[in-house]
Amino acid sequence: MNETTIKECRSDCAACCIAPSISSSVPGMEKGKPAGTPCIQLTPDLRCSLFGDPSRPSVCSSLCPSEEMCGTTRQDALEYLERLEILTRP
């Protein structure tokens, strides 16, 4: 499947900051973040307060918006990332 990159994240989405688990430490969440839990670094306007900061987990930096991942709505993105989470559980 050919994945098309989207230049910017959808406003008011933050699905990638909520749906997936993060196994590495996040400032304020030293044991990582469980799936379905909003990251503590997510601001009220649904932006990452660590964006561009070297303490941002590499898994977060590696996520790039794409048509496949983001779909056309926030709900599409949440569902896609939730499916990936289930498929990649140890």
Side-chain angles (χ1 to χ4, degrees):
M1 188 179 302
N2 188 6
E3 190 174 303
T4 304
T5 301
I6 300 170
K7 293 184 190 253
E8 294 181 18
C9 289
R10 178 184 302 112
S11 62
D12 300 320
C13 182
C16 59
C17 301
I18 298 168
S21 61
I22 299 174
S23 58
S24 58
S25 178
V26 177
M29 300 178 100
E30 284 67 30
K31 294 183 179 181
K33 182 193 91 57
T37 300
C39 179
I40 197 166
Q41 297 299 331
L42 190 59
T43 65
D45 64 345
L46 301 178
R47 303 244 181 228
C48 176
S49 67
L50 296 177
F51 194 86
D53 187 305
S55 65
R56 186 176 184 213
S58 59
V59 67
C60 299
S61 299
S62 70
L63 280 175
C64 295
S66 69
E67 289 180 16
E68 181 181 17
M69 180 174 77
C70 301
T72 57
T73 66
R74 178 178 195 245
Q75 189 60 38
D76 288 345
L78 285 166
E79 289 172 6
Y80 178 85
L81 290 165
E82 287 167 356
R83 278 193 311 275
L84 279 183
E85 183 68 30
I86 290 166
L87 292 171
T88 59
R89 282 187 186 146

